[in-house]
């Protein structure tokens, strides 16, 4: 079976004037910041944190810590299942671009960073919850994440992706509260010390079906390791500046959203168990509604079920069963 799904890729600048589109998941990191009375201050302060962190990591030939700034694009990807022009928002990701003010040069960064997906909301907040309701032991449905994974790989292998991006994506997430991480002897000049979890998490398994492997690194002056999901070779396929653009962007978001871990007053040691229950941390002063974010995830999963999973279920199941990536 050969079924060509068509992708439409659009991008918008993420700056202090950004306003989420009607198709943007409101739980998405960048969208949550762009709401409320302090939306512009939120965005301005977030971008300033990103630039400051970038210059702190890219410190060579940068004596005043102001050589670089980071521009962010929100990349929205819609999928046309039937080829009739009717689309559904598949994913939104962030693309970094680096401005070198010393050389007056704009350098392409990394695409990916944050991953927003309605279908993932459906998998975790609807399908998984329904599957475990009333059960004594937690388990996952058969081929949990299989459809989402194949769709993501299909997108990354698509002509639309190749026409827009020169390298494959890197997704950067928080570590899991349910795992313990041990520092290894491996140290990268930009990514910092590598950590390894005591066991694989559900998120790791889910992203593995998307074709992504994971490594955990704690950059210099960070308080906790970050999870880097990638294709290929993370350490060889990307330049130092590209990696710094992802670190500075996603660590800033994590400091805002998970300050108990990423803006903690104590640094992760050789053995680290992250927890959102820690009280010894500092707030960034940037407003963010974490409780609303968890509530909206269910609504967004239901939206995906109603407007994508149910209407196209038969076609999607047939495609997933027969299409070899």
């Amino acid at each position: 079976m050969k079924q060509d799904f068509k992708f439409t890729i659009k991008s918008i600048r993420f700056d202090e004037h950004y306003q989420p589109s009607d198709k943007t998941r409101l739980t998405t990191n960048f969208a949550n910041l762009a709401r409320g009375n302090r939306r512009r201050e939120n965005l301005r302060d977030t971008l300033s944190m990103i630039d400051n962190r970038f210059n702190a990591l890219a410190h060579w030939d940068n004596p005043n810590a102001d050589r670089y700034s980071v521009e962010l694009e929100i990349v929205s990807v819609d999928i046309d299942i039937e080829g009739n022009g009717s689309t559904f928002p598949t994913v939104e990701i962030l693309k970094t671009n680096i401005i070198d003010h010393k050389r007056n040069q704009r350098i392409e960064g990394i695409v990916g960073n944050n991953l927003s997906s309605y279908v993932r909301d459906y998998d975790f907040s609807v399908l998984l919850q329904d599957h475990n309701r009333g059960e004594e032991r937690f388990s996952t449905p058969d081929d949990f994440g299989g459809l989402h994974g194949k769709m993501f790989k299909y997108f990354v292998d698509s002509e639309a992706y190749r026409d827009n991006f020169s390298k494959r994506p890197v997704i950067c997430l928080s570590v899991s509260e349910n795992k313990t991480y041990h520092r290894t002897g491996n140290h990268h000049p930009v990514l910092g010390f590598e950590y390894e979890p005591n066991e694989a998490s559900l998120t790791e398994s889910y992203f593995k079906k998307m074709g992504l492997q994971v490594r955990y690194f704690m950059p210099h002056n960070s308080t906790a390791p970050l999870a880097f999901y990638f294709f290929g070779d993370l350490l060889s396929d990307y330049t130092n500046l590209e990696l710094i653009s992802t670190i500075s962007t996603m660590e800033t978001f994590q400091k805002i959203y998970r300050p108990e871990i990423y803006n903690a007053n104590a640094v992760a040691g050789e053995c680290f168990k992250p927890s959102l229950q820690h009280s010894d941390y500092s707030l960034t002063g940037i407003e963010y509604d974490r409780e609303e974010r968890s509530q909206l995830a269910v609504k967004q999963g239901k939206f995906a079920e109603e407007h994508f999973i149910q209407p196209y279920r038969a076609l999607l199941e047939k495609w997933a069963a027969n299409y070899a990536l």
Side-chain angles (χ1 to χ4, degrees), residues 206-234:
Y206 193 84
F207 276 71
K208 186 175 182 180
K209 292 185 178 180
M210 296 164 60
L212 297 162
Q213 49 188 314
V214 63
R215 294 178 75 170
Y216 299 88
F217 286 92
M218 187 170 78
H220 179 64
N221 280 344
S222 298
T223 60
L226 293 160
F228 296 86
Y229 289 87
F230 59 96
F231 296 92
D233 188 335
L234 178 67

PDB file of all heavy atoms in Angstrom, residues 206-234:
ATOM      1  N   TYR A 206       8.192   5.723  24.162  1.00  0.00           N
ATOM      2  CA  TYR A 206       7.324   6.422  23.224  1.00  0.00           C
ATOM      3  C   TYR A 206       8.152   7.099  22.129  1.00  0.00           C
ATOM      4  O   TYR A 206       7.848   7.001  20.937  1.00  0.00           O
ATOM      5  CB  TYR A 206       6.499   7.451  23.991  1.00  0.00           C
ATOM      6  CG  TYR A 206       5.347   8.033  23.204  1.00  0.00           C
ATOM      7  CD1 TYR A 206       4.130   7.370  23.137  1.00  0.00           C
ATOM      8  CD2 TYR A 206       5.473   9.256  22.547  1.00  0.00           C
ATOM      9  CE1 TYR A 206       3.053   7.910  22.431  1.00  0.00           C
ATOM     10  CE2 TYR A 206       4.420   9.804  21.844  1.00  0.00           C
ATOM     11  CZ  TYR A 206       3.206   9.118  21.798  1.00  0.00           C
ATOM     12  OH  TYR A 206       2.149   9.662  21.089  1.00  0.00           O
ATOM     13  N   PHE A 207       9.221   7.786  22.539  1.00  0.00           N
ATOM     14  CA  PHE A 207      10.059   8.476  21.563  1.00  0.00           C
ATOM     15  C   PHE A 207      10.893   7.503  20.727  1.00  0.00           C
ATOM     16  O   PHE A 207      11.276   7.828  19.598  1.00  0.00           O
ATOM     17  CB  PHE A 207      10.960   9.492  22.269  1.00  0.00           C
ATOM     18  CG  PHE A 207      10.285  10.810  22.510  1.00  0.00           C
ATOM     19  CD1 PHE A 207       9.271  10.946  23.454  1.00  0.00           C
ATOM     20  CD2 PHE A 207      10.648  11.931  21.789  1.00  0.00           C
ATOM     21  CE1 PHE A 207       8.637  12.156  23.673  1.00  0.00           C
ATOM     22  CE2 PHE A 207      10.032  13.149  21.998  1.00  0.00           C
ATOM     23  CZ  PHE A 207       9.025  13.261  22.935  1.00  0.00           C
ATOM     24  N   LYS A 208      11.158   6.339  21.258  1.00  0.00           N
ATOM     25  CA  LYS A 208      11.870   5.329  20.473  1.00  0.00           C
ATOM     26  C   LYS A 208      11.052   4.923  19.261  1.00  0.00           C
ATOM     27  O   LYS A 208      11.589   4.662  18.183  1.00  0.00           O
ATOM     28  CB  LYS A 208      12.181   4.113  21.348  1.00  0.00           C
ATOM     29  CG  LYS A 208      13.050   3.068  20.656  1.00  0.00           C
ATOM     30  CD  LYS A 208      13.422   1.942  21.608  1.00  0.00           C
ATOM     31  CE  LYS A 208      14.340   0.931  20.932  1.00  0.00           C
ATOM     32  NZ  LYS A 208      14.713  -0.172  21.871  1.00  0.00           N
ATOM     33  N   LYS A 209       9.731   4.874  19.414  1.00  0.00           N
ATOM     34  CA  LYS A 209       8.861   4.557  18.284  1.00  0.00           C
ATOM     35  C   LYS A 209       8.835   5.683  17.263  1.00  0.00           C
ATOM     36  O   LYS A 209       8.421   5.483  16.118  1.00  0.00           O
ATOM     37  CB  LYS A 209       7.452   4.236  18.774  1.00  0.00           C
ATOM     38  CG  LYS A 209       7.394   2.927  19.555  1.00  0.00           C
ATOM     39  CD  LYS A 209       5.986   2.527  19.935  1.00  0.00           C
ATOM     40  CE  LYS A 209       6.004   1.186  20.659  1.00  0.00           C
ATOM     41  NZ  LYS A 209       4.655   0.735  21.047  1.00  0.00           N
ATOM     42  N   MET A 210       9.262   6.860  17.668  1.00  0.00           N
ATOM     43  CA  MET A 210       9.406   7.981  16.734  1.00  0.00           C
ATOM     44  C   MET A 210      10.755   7.932  16.031  1.00  0.00           C
ATOM     45  O   MET A 210      11.082   8.826  15.239  1.00  0.00           O
ATOM     46  CB  MET A 210       9.259   9.296  17.496  1.00  0.00           C
ATOM     47  CG  MET A 210       7.888   9.500  18.114  1.00  0.00           C
ATOM     48  SD  MET A 210       7.865  10.813  19.385  1.00  0.00           S
ATOM     49  CE  MET A 210       8.379  12.231  18.430  1.00  0.00           C
ATOM     50  N   GLY A 211      11.568   6.922  16.333  1.00  0.00           N
ATOM     51  CA  GLY A 211      12.885   6.780  15.726  1.00  0.00           C
ATOM     52  C   GLY A 211      13.990   7.478  16.473  1.00  0.00           C
ATOM     53  O   GLY A 211      15.121   7.571  15.984  1.00  0.00           O
ATOM     54  N   LEU A 212      13.693   7.988  17.679  1.00  0.00           N
ATOM     55  CA  LEU A 212      14.645   8.797  18.433  1.00  0.00           C
ATOM     56  C   LEU A 212      15.302   8.009  19.559  1.00  0.00           C
ATOM     57  O   LEU A 212      14.636   7.279  20.283  1.00  0.00           O
ATOM     58  CB  LEU A 212      13.917  10.012  19.031  1.00  0.00           C
ATOM     59  CG  LEU A 212      13.323  10.994  18.014  1.00  0.00           C
ATOM     60  CD1 LEU A 212      12.288  11.880  18.673  1.00  0.00           C
ATOM     61  CD2 LEU A 212      14.410  11.824  17.376  1.00  0.00           C
ATOM     62  N   GLN A 213      16.593   8.166  19.689  1.00  0.00           N
ATOM     63  CA  GLN A 213      17.318   7.652  20.847  1.00  0.00           C
ATOM     64  C   GLN A 213      17.562   8.798  21.812  1.00  0.00           C
ATOM     65  O   GLN A 213      17.341   9.962  21.471  1.00  0.00           O
ATOM     66  CB  GLN A 213      18.628   7.005  20.418  1.00  0.00           C
ATOM     67  CG  GLN A 213      19.476   7.842  19.490  1.00  0.00           C
ATOM     68  CD  GLN A 213      20.664   7.082  18.931  1.00  0.00           C
ATOM     69  OE1 GLN A 213      21.371   6.402  19.652  1.00  0.00           O
ATOM     70  NE2 GLN A 213      20.892   7.205  17.627  1.00  0.00           N
ATOM     71  N   VAL A 214      17.999   8.489  23.025  1.00  0.00           N
ATOM     72  CA  VAL A 214      18.107   9.532  24.034  1.00  0.00           C
ATOM     73  C   VAL A 214      19.429   9.437  24.780  1.00  0.00           C
ATOM     74  O   VAL A 214      19.958   8.348  25.013  1.00  0.00           O
ATOM     75  CB  VAL A 214      16.928   9.455  25.042  1.00  0.00           C
ATOM     76  CG1 VAL A 214      16.954   8.137  25.821  1.00  0.00           C
ATOM     77  CG2 VAL A 214      16.934  10.639  26.005  1.00  0.00           C
ATOM     78  N   ARG A 215      19.977  10.617  25.124  1.00  0.00           N
ATOM     79  CA  ARG A 215      21.107  10.715  26.039  1.00  0.00           C
ATOM     80  C   ARG A 215      20.842  11.870  26.983  1.00  0.00           C
ATOM     81  O   ARG A 215      20.147  12.836  26.624  1.00  0.00           O
ATOM     82  CB  ARG A 215      22.429  10.924  25.276  1.00  0.00           C
ATOM     83  CG  ARG A 215      22.821   9.731  24.421  1.00  0.00           C
ATOM     84  CD  ARG A 215      24.087   9.961  23.635  1.00  0.00           C
ATOM     85  NE  ARG A 215      25.283   9.895  24.483  1.00  0.00           N
ATOM     86  CZ  ARG A 215      26.528   9.865  23.986  1.00  0.00           C
ATOM     87  NH1 ARG A 215      26.732   9.911  22.676  1.00  0.00           N
ATOM     88  NH2 ARG A 215      27.557   9.799  24.795  1.00  0.00           N
ATOM     89  N   TYR A 216      21.402  11.771  28.183  1.00  0.00           N
ATOM     90  CA  TYR A 216      21.151  12.768  29.229  1.00  0.00           C
ATOM     91  C   TYR A 216      22.453  13.486  29.570  1.00  0.00           C
ATOM     92  O   TYR A 216      23.459  12.854  29.901  1.00  0.00           O
ATOM     93  CB  TYR A 216      20.592  12.091  30.481  1.00  0.00           C
ATOM     94  CG  TYR A 216      19.281  11.384  30.251  1.00  0.00           C
ATOM     95  CD1 TYR A 216      19.244  10.056  29.829  1.00  0.00           C
ATOM     96  CD2 TYR A 216      18.069  12.036  30.449  1.00  0.00           C
ATOM     97  CE1 TYR A 216      18.040   9.404  29.609  1.00  0.00           C
ATOM     98  CE2 TYR A 216      16.863  11.393  30.242  1.00  0.00           C
ATOM     99  CZ  TYR A 216      16.850  10.080  29.815  1.00  0.00           C
ATOM    100  OH  TYR A 216      15.658   9.436  29.601  1.00  0.00           O
ATOM    101  N   PHE A 217      22.418  14.823  29.491  1.00  0.00           N
ATOM    102  CA  PHE A 217      23.601  15.629  29.794  1.00  0.00           C
ATOM    103  C   PHE A 217      23.219  16.803  30.684  1.00  0.00           C
ATOM    104  O   PHE A 217      22.134  17.367  30.561  1.00  0.00           O
ATOM    105  CB  PHE A 217      24.227  16.175  28.510  1.00  0.00           C
ATOM    106  CG  PHE A 217      24.968  15.153  27.686  1.00  0.00           C
ATOM    107  CD1 PHE A 217      24.329  14.461  26.676  1.00  0.00           C
ATOM    108  CD2 PHE A 217      26.306  14.894  27.936  1.00  0.00           C
ATOM    109  CE1 PHE A 217      25.006  13.525  25.907  1.00  0.00           C
ATOM    110  CE2 PHE A 217      27.004  13.959  27.173  1.00  0.00           C
ATOM    111  CZ  PHE A 217      26.352  13.274  26.157  1.00  0.00           C
ATOM    112  N   MET A 218      24.157  17.172  31.565  1.00  0.00           N
ATOM    113  CA  MET A 218      23.980  18.358  32.397  1.00  0.00           C
ATOM    114  C   MET A 218      25.039  19.383  32.029  1.00  0.00           C
ATOM    115  O   MET A 218      26.214  19.251  32.394  1.00  0.00           O
ATOM    116  CB  MET A 218      24.067  18.017  33.891  1.00  0.00           C
ATOM    117  CG  MET A 218      23.706  19.204  34.774  1.00  0.00           C
ATOM    118  SD  MET A 218      23.511  18.773  36.525  1.00  0.00           S
ATOM    119  CE  MET A 218      25.235  18.648  37.017  1.00  0.00           C
ATOM    120  N   PRO A 219      24.657  20.444  31.299  1.00  0.00           N
ATOM    121  CA  PRO A 219      25.625  21.467  30.888  1.00  0.00           C
ATOM    122  C   PRO A 219      26.202  22.225  32.077  1.00  0.00           C
ATOM    123  O   PRO A 219      25.657  22.203  33.187  1.00  0.00           O
ATOM    124  CB  PRO A 219      24.785  22.397  29.998  1.00  0.00           C
ATOM    125  CG  PRO A 219      23.611  21.575  29.568  1.00  0.00           C
ATOM    126  CD  PRO A 219      23.328  20.664  30.717  1.00  0.00           C
ATOM    127  N   HIS A 220      27.292  22.910  31.829  1.00  0.00           N
ATOM    128  CA  HIS A 220      27.982  23.691  32.861  1.00  0.00           C
ATOM    129  C   HIS A 220      27.027  24.710  33.471  1.00  0.00           C
ATOM    130  O   HIS A 220      26.281  25.404  32.769  1.00  0.00           O
ATOM    131  CB  HIS A 220      29.192  24.397  32.248  1.00  0.00           C
ATOM    132  CG  HIS A 220      29.962  25.238  33.219  1.00  0.00           C
ATOM    133  ND1 HIS A 220      30.618  24.699  34.315  1.00  0.00           N
ATOM    134  CD2 HIS A 220      30.174  26.581  33.273  1.00  0.00           C
ATOM    135  CE1 HIS A 220      31.204  25.658  34.984  1.00  0.00           C
ATOM    136  NE2 HIS A 220      30.952  26.812  34.377  1.00  0.00           N
ATOM    137  N   ASN A 221      27.054  24.801  34.791  1.00  0.00           N
ATOM    138  CA  ASN A 221      26.212  25.724  35.560  1.00  0.00           C
ATOM    139  C   ASN A 221      24.721  25.405  35.484  1.00  0.00           C
ATOM    140  O   ASN A 221      23.886  26.255  35.814  1.00  0.00           O
ATOM    141  CB  ASN A 221      26.452  27.183  35.145  1.00  0.00           C
ATOM    142  CG  ASN A 221      27.704  27.748  35.799  1.00  0.00           C
ATOM    143  OD1 ASN A 221      28.230  27.207  36.764  1.00  0.00           O
ATOM    144  ND2 ASN A 221      28.196  28.854  35.256  1.00  0.00           N
ATOM    145  N   SER A 222      24.372  24.204  35.057  1.00  0.00           N
ATOM    146  CA  SER A 222      22.991  23.739  35.157  1.00  0.00           C
ATOM    147  C   SER A 222      22.802  23.058  36.503  1.00  0.00           C
ATOM    148  O   SER A 222      23.774  22.685  37.172  1.00  0.00           O
ATOM    149  CB  SER A 222      22.650  22.761  34.026  1.00  0.00           C
ATOM    150  OG  SER A 222      22.756  23.378  32.766  1.00  0.00           O
ATOM    151  N   THR A 223      21.552  22.884  36.898  1.00  0.00           N
ATOM    152  CA  THR A 223      21.282  22.212  38.164  1.00  0.00           C
ATOM    153  C   THR A 223      20.812  20.779  37.990  1.00  0.00           C
ATOM    154  O   THR A 223      20.778  20.024  38.962  1.00  0.00           O
ATOM    155  CB  THR A 223      20.215  22.978  38.971  1.00  0.00           C
ATOM    156  OG1 THR A 223      19.000  23.033  38.209  1.00  0.00           O
ATOM    157  CG2 THR A 223      20.682  24.392  39.279  1.00  0.00           C
ATOM    158  N   ALA A 224      20.459  20.390  36.760  1.00  0.00           N
ATOM    159  CA  ALA A 224      19.957  19.041  36.518  1.00  0.00           C
ATOM    160  C   ALA A 224      20.195  18.679  35.054  1.00  0.00           C
ATOM    161  O   ALA A 224      20.266  19.562  34.187  1.00  0.00           O
ATOM    162  CB  ALA A 224      18.470  18.951  36.853  1.00  0.00           C
ATOM    163  N   PRO A 225      20.307  17.394  34.763  1.00  0.00           N
ATOM    164  CA  PRO A 225      20.489  16.987  33.367  1.00  0.00           C
ATOM    165  C   PRO A 225      19.225  17.195  32.548  1.00  0.00           C
ATOM    166  O   PRO A 225      18.110  17.224  33.078  1.00  0.00           O
ATOM    167  CB  PRO A 225      20.846  15.494  33.475  1.00  0.00           C
ATOM    168  CG  PRO A 225      20.344  15.070  34.808  1.00  0.00           C
ATOM    169  CD  PRO A 225      20.390  16.257  35.704  1.00  0.00           C
ATOM    170  N   LEU A 226      19.417  17.349  31.256  1.00  0.00           N
ATOM    171  CA  LEU A 226      18.342  17.431  30.284  1.00  0.00           C
ATOM    172  C   LEU A 226      18.343  16.164  29.431  1.00  0.00           C
ATOM    173  O   LEU A 226      19.392  15.534  29.233  1.00  0.00           O
ATOM    174  CB  LEU A 226      18.516  18.644  29.376  1.00  0.00           C
ATOM    175  CG  LEU A 226      18.358  20.021  30.025  1.00  0.00           C
ATOM    176  CD1 LEU A 226      19.031  21.090  29.157  1.00  0.00           C
ATOM    177  CD2 LEU A 226      16.888  20.356  30.228  1.00  0.00           C
ATOM    178  N   ALA A 227      17.177  15.803  28.911  1.00  0.00           N
ATOM    179  CA  ALA A 227      17.055  14.643  28.030  1.00  0.00           C
ATOM    180  C   ALA A 227      17.092  15.125  26.587  1.00  0.00           C
ATOM    181  O   ALA A 227      16.267  15.945  26.174  1.00  0.00           O
ATOM    182  CB  ALA A 227      15.754  13.901  28.314  1.00  0.00           C
ATOM    183  N   PHE A 228      18.050  14.625  25.804  1.00  0.00           N
ATOM    184  CA  PHE A 228      18.187  14.986  24.395  1.00  0.00           C
ATOM    185  C   PHE A 228      17.777  13.796  23.541  1.00  0.00           C
ATOM    186  O   PHE A 228      18.436  12.750  23.554  1.00  0.00           O
ATOM    187  CB  PHE A 228      19.627  15.388  24.074  1.00  0.00           C
ATOM    188  CG  PHE A 228      20.085  16.628  24.791  1.00  0.00           C
ATOM    189  CD1 PHE A 228      20.628  16.553  26.075  1.00  0.00           C
ATOM    190  CD2 PHE A 228      19.966  17.874  24.190  1.00  0.00           C
ATOM    191  CE1 PHE A 228      21.049  17.689  26.740  1.00  0.00           C
ATOM    192  CE2 PHE A 228      20.395  19.019  24.858  1.00  0.00           C
ATOM    193  CZ  PHE A 228      20.928  18.929  26.128  1.00  0.00           C
ATOM    194  N   TYR A 229      16.698  13.958  22.783  1.00  0.00           N
ATOM    195  CA  TYR A 229      16.214  12.910  21.880  1.00  0.00           C
ATOM    196  C   TYR A 229      16.629  13.274  20.462  1.00  0.00           C
ATOM    197  O   TYR A 229      16.402  14.404  20.010  1.00  0.00           O
ATOM    198  CB  TYR A 229      14.695  12.794  21.975  1.00  0.00           C
ATOM    199  CG  TYR A 229      14.221  12.187  23.275  1.00  0.00           C
ATOM    200  CD1 TYR A 229      13.995  12.976  24.389  1.00  0.00           C
ATOM    201  CD2 TYR A 229      14.006  10.812  23.385  1.00  0.00           C
ATOM    202  CE1 TYR A 229      13.561  12.415  25.591  1.00  0.00           C
ATOM    203  CE2 TYR A 229      13.574  10.247  24.578  1.00  0.00           C
ATOM    204  CZ  TYR A 229      13.352  11.051  25.676  1.00  0.00           C
ATOM    205  OH  TYR A 229      12.926  10.495  26.858  1.00  0.00           O
ATOM    206  N   PHE A 230      17.204  12.307  19.746  1.00  0.00           N
ATOM    207  CA  PHE A 230      17.845  12.642  18.475  1.00  0.00           C
ATOM    208  C   PHE A 230      17.918  11.427  17.550  1.00  0.00           C
ATOM    209  O   PHE A 230      17.775  10.279  17.980  1.00  0.00           O
ATOM    210  CB  PHE A 230      19.270  13.146  18.737  1.00  0.00           C
ATOM    211  CG  PHE A 230      20.132  12.140  19.460  1.00  0.00           C
ATOM    212  CD1 PHE A 230      20.979  11.295  18.758  1.00  0.00           C
ATOM    213  CD2 PHE A 230      20.075  12.017  20.849  1.00  0.00           C
ATOM    214  CE1 PHE A 230      21.764  10.350  19.423  1.00  0.00           C
ATOM    215  CE2 PHE A 230      20.847  11.079  21.516  1.00  0.00           C
ATOM    216  CZ  PHE A 230      21.690  10.246  20.801  1.00  0.00           C
ATOM    217  N   PHE A 231      18.147  11.698  16.274  1.00  0.00           N
ATOM    218  CA  PHE A 231      18.522  10.698  15.281  1.00  0.00           C
ATOM    219  C   PHE A 231      20.044  10.749  15.115  1.00  0.00           C
ATOM    220  O   PHE A 231      20.669  11.773  15.362  1.00  0.00           O
ATOM    221  CB  PHE A 231      17.883  11.000  13.925  1.00  0.00           C
ATOM    222  CG  PHE A 231      16.376  10.943  13.895  1.00  0.00           C
ATOM    223  CD1 PHE A 231      15.629  12.083  14.124  1.00  0.00           C
ATOM    224  CD2 PHE A 231      15.714   9.762  13.604  1.00  0.00           C
ATOM    225  CE1 PHE A 231      14.243  12.048  14.067  1.00  0.00           C
ATOM    226  CE2 PHE A 231      14.332   9.706  13.545  1.00  0.00           C
ATOM    227  CZ  PHE A 231      13.589  10.850  13.783  1.00  0.00           C
ATOM    228  N   GLY A 232      20.639   9.679  14.646  1.00  0.00           N
ATOM    229  CA  GLY A 232      22.052   9.731  14.290  1.00  0.00           C
ATOM    230  C   GLY A 232      22.982   9.839  15.476  1.00  0.00           C
ATOM    231  O   GLY A 232      22.886   9.091  16.440  1.00  0.00           O
ATOM    232  N   ASP A 233      23.919  10.805  15.429  1.00  0.00           N
ATOM    233  CA  ASP A 233      24.949  10.978  16.447  1.00  0.00           C
ATOM    234  C   ASP A 233      24.862  12.391  17.006  1.00  0.00           C
ATOM    235  O   ASP A 233      25.241  13.362  16.338  1.00  0.00           O
ATOM    236  CB  ASP A 233      26.325  10.732  15.819  1.00  0.00           C
ATOM    237  CG  ASP A 233      27.456  10.699  16.844  1.00  0.00           C
ATOM    238  OD1 ASP A 233      27.303  11.305  17.924  1.00  0.00           O
ATOM    239  OD2 ASP A 233      28.488  10.077  16.571  1.00  0.00           O
ATOM    240  N   LEU A 234      24.364  12.526  18.215  1.00  0.00           N
ATOM    241  CA  LEU A 234      24.156  13.841  18.817  1.00  0.00           C
ATOM    242  C   LEU A 234      25.451  14.632  18.906  1.00  0.00           C
ATOM    243  O   LEU A 234      25.474  15.848  18.673  1.00  0.00           O
ATOM    244  CB  LEU A 234      23.549  13.678  20.216  1.00  0.00           C
ATOM    245  CG  LEU A 234      23.302  14.956  21.019  1.00  0.00           C
ATOM    246  CD1 LEU A 234      22.216  15.799  20.366  1.00  0.00           C
ATOM    247  CD2 LEU A 234      22.931  14.630  22.468  1.00  0.00           C
TER     248      LEU A 234
END
